[in-house]
Every structure is written in C-alpha cells, then in structure tokens.
Amino acid sequence: MITERASATVALLLTAEPDVADRDEVAAIVRRSREVRSWLDSIDVVCARRTRELAAAGAAEPAGSLLEDAGQRSTRDAVIIDKRVPACDAMPQFEAALAAGQISGSHVDAVAAVLARLDEQIRVAFIAEQDALLAAAQRQPVEAFTAGCRDLVRFLTAERDRATGADTEMEELARQRAASKIRQWINTDDGMHHTHIELDPVRGAKLSKALADLLRRHRKTDTNTGVPWDQLQVDSFLNGIDRAVTTRNSKQPSQTPDTSDHAGTHTTTDQKTDPPAGTSSSCGCDHQHNDWADTNGSAPTALPELRIPEIGVLIDMDSLIAGLHEHSICETYNGTPIPISEVRRLCCEADI
C-alpha cells in the first residue's frame, strides 16, 4: 500500500510544472515531494538497520560508513540516518508514519535526540507516550514538535522528582555551570583570533541579551550607516568591553558592582516586558540587590549607557507556585528552558 502510494506520488511529480504553477499548486508539489522524501528516508532506516546486523556478523562495514560511501552522504548526514534506527526500533509507529509520508525524517531526529539522553526510567515513560507524540508530529512543524518533546521530558522528570524529592533540573543547571568555559586560540594560517564561550542557559541568556542591547545601541550611531552587519556586531561587542573597563576603572573605590547571579533579571507571568534597571527588593538573601551599591549609604552613581544585562523569564503562575505541570511554561525570553527553582531564586529581586 505504501509502495503504491509512493509510486502514485512520484508519477504526479513527474508531470508537475512548478515553474508555471500558482501558489496552491506549488504547495501541493512541495507536499508530494516531502512525502516521497519521507518514504526514501524510511528506506534508509531499513538499510541502516540491516547494515548494523551485517556489521555485527562481520559481513559489512559500519552503517555510517556504508551510507556515506554508497549513498554519497556527508559524514554528518550518515550519522543522523544511523541514529534514526534505535529511535524507530523503540517507537515503530514513527517508522511506519515516516514510510507513509505522514511525518518527516526531522521528526524522527527529534525523538532520537531525546531518547539518546534519557535514563531508563524516563525513557520508558517517554516511549509510553508514543501515540500522543505521533499525533503531535503529524500536525506540528519540526520546531514545535521538538519543543513538545522537550516539555514532555521536563514534565515526566518533574513527576519523578516530586516522588523522590530530587531536583533534577537544578542538578543539570549546576552541571552546565561547572562545564561552562571560555577558550581562545589563534589560527596560525590567517592570524585570526577566536573566542569560544560555553555557558549555562541562565548566564548564556544574559550574555545574548547584553550583546543584543549593545548592538541595538551601536546601530543608532549615524556613522554606522552602511556598515556591514558582521562588522557592526564585532564593533558593538568591543565597544561595550571598552566602556565597561573604562567606567569601572574611573569609579570611586567605595562603589562596587554587585556580581551575584541575581543581578539584572526580570520575570513576567503573562507577558514579556523591559523594566527599568537597578531595581532592588528584600528577599532575605545575604547580598545587596541594587545593581551598584555605595557602601556609605549615598545614592549609587549612574553609569552612562552601561548597565548589567537584564533577561526576561516567562513562567505561568501555577508552575511558579506548585511546580511543573503538563502545560507549564518556564523559559527565558528566547525560549530556553530553565529550572523553576532557579526562577524562584531570581524572583527575589526581579520586576514581576
């Protein structure tokens, strides 16, 4: 049945004329092309699975190598196809839907990526949701489906944590913070300096927001009209560093910046806003909350065009009070999930 449908779809594509088609006709051609591509992807999965079996018996090379050589694929594409095999083995309905052209290979990739990093208990619970996940994959674009898989894992993990008293999300954030690093090197071939920064989601969001604010401010300068985008980004970043160093070196010794993780955060339970900088409140923590504190009690000195970067956090009230639920929203302004316990800590001094 699947072969007959694929044959019929290919026949329609062979007679299609996309160069003279209107909008609806182009959309129909794209849908048929996607169905054929999905069917071909399903064949690749079967081939990769069989090659794995042959390789285990010493009768073939690893599946990735065969896909790369015989299929003239890049190493990356061959690895992606090979990773679909265990995902389809665990959730066979997805393989059937792929063969029928009902979902794309990228939907299977989203499942494969999730399954590869789950412990056995959460993996079993995730696979048990196969019917609901497949229904979502059939109606959602890849990005929305991927986010849904992520949210399901968070919910399942939160359910287990409530039963065990653990806080898996905060443990993961602590691991990410411990793994954060900055690496710098020089390419001896062209003399270019490289800086690679790896950060946890919270501090990464602060850096992204700071860079975006610097760029937005830098673009408003008349002399930057016509400057290429890449150059604007570099100039705004370096100018921000120059101002930060210059301003801090010129400050009085009595004025010291608050370097705590709490600094510069605002939270909203219903919408994303941009509140004023330098707010403060009391939460019982053992540090000051104002962005710049004067130890002699006088008002802090304003910094021209320079402030600690703020990030927006979007969370629903039920999650903030009671914890993750099936439809929780708890993420930074750019959609990166963060632990609820971290949001509660940030709320100590955030504008809400």
Side-chain angles (χ1 to χ4, degrees):
M1 183 66 181
I2 292 176
T3 304
E4 292 176 0
R5 178 179 176 83
S7 298
T9 304
V10 169
L12 289 172
L13 287 174
L14 289 173
T15 60
E17 297 180 344
D19 51 338
V20 295
D22 60 26
R23 186 269 171 200
D24 291 341
E25 290 170 338
V26 169
I29 294 170
V30 170
R31 281 193 295 270
R32 290 166 184 156
S33 176
R34 190 261 300 164
E35 289 179 5
V36 173
R37 188 175 295 107
S38 296
W39 173 62
L40 292 173
D41 284 343
S42 73
I43 294 177
D44 283 341
V45 170
V46 177
C47 290
R49 180 184 292 116
R50 177 55 181 162
T51 306
R52 283 185 168 207
E53 296 170 351
L54 293 171
E61 65 268 48
S65 298
L66 187 145
L67 291 167
E68 185 177 350
D69 295 338
Q72 295 187 334
R73 309 263 188 174
S74 68
T75 301
R76 178 180 179 275
D77 288 344
V79 169
I80 289 174
I81 295 171
D82 192 32
K83 288 182 177 179
R84 290 173 183 170
V85 175
C88 288
D89 289 344
M91 305 179 75
Q93 292 180 37
F94 272 76
E95 183 172 358
L98 183 66
Q102 298 170 353
I103 61 174
S104 71
S106 296
H107 287 95
V108 179
D109 296 337
V111 171
V114 169
L115 290 176
R117 60 181 174 82
L118 297 182
D119 61 50
E120 187 60 28
Q121 184 179 1
I122 302 300
R123 176 185 170 88
V124 170
F126 184 85
I127 293 174
E129 300 292 330
Q130 180 175 186
D131 290 342
L133 286 167
L134 180 57
Q138 289 171 331
R139 68 174 184 272
Q140 292 178 342
V142 175
E143 288 78 8
F145 176 70
T146 301
C149 290
R150 177 202 69 198
D151 292 342
L152 175 59
V153 171
R154 293 186 76 193
F155 172 69
L156 295 173
T157 304
E159 288 286 283
R160 183 181 64 181
D161 285 356
R162 272 191 280 268
T164 61
D167 192 344
T168 303
E169 281 199 312
M170 278 305 295
E171 292 173 0
E172 174 65 8
L173 181 61
R175 184 199 64 77
Q176 291 170 327
R177 282 180 171 165
S180 297
K181 64 176 72 73
I182 297 177
R183 294 190 296 116
Q184 293 183 299
W185 69 95
I186 300 174
N187 188 326
T188 56
D189 292 334
D190 57 17
M192 295 294 288
H193 288 235
H194 296 255
T195 300
H196 177 85
I197 303 176
E198 295 183 49
L199 294 174
D200 59 89
V202 176
R203 292 185 295 183
K206 286 184 179 181
L207 176 61
S208 296
K209 184 63 164 58
L211 293 177
D213 289 345
L214 288 170
L215 178 60
R216 183 171 60 251
R217 192 178 301 123
H218 193 63
R219 289 179 63 196
K220 294 179 180 179
T221 304
D222 293 337
T223 56
N224 288 327
T225 302
V227 177
W229 184 260
D230 288 345
Q231 193 61 49
L232 277 176
Q233 289 181 305
V234 172
D235 289 346
S236 65
F237 172 63
L238 294 177
N239 288 345
I241 292 177
D242 288 342
R243 285 205 307 274
V245 173
T246 301
T247 305
R248 280 159 175 76
N249 287 341
S250 64
K251 288 180 63 62
Q252 296 298 322
S254 62
Q255 294 170 331
T256 56
D258 180 357
T259 58
S260 71
D261 285 343
H262 285 40
T265 307
H266 62 272
T267 305
T268 174
T269 57
D270 54 1
Q271 60 183 349
K272 300 176 182 177
T273 60
D274 190 14
T279 58
S280 66
S281 63
S282 175
C283 68
C285 295
D286 57 358
H287 63 272
Q288 293 179 343
H289 288 278
N290 48 317
D291 287 348
W292 291 83
D294 192 324
T295 56
N296 62 17
S298 61
T301 302
L303 297 179
E305 293 191 356
L306 179 66
R307 65 183 186 185
I308 295 176
E310 294 175 340
I311 61 171
V313 175
L314 182 65
I315 183 171
D316 64 279
M317 187 62 74
D318 289 342
S319 295
L320 184 64
I321 295 174
L324 283 174
H325 54 83
E326 191 172 359
H327 302 291
S328 282
I329 300 175
C330 181
E331 57 193 33
T332 61
Y333 68 94
N334 60 357
T336 302
I338 59 176
I340 286 180
S341 51
E342 177 70 5
V343 174
R344 289 170 178 158
R345 186 181 73 83
L346 294 172
C347 279
C348 290
E349 55 111 51
D351 287 304
I352 300 177

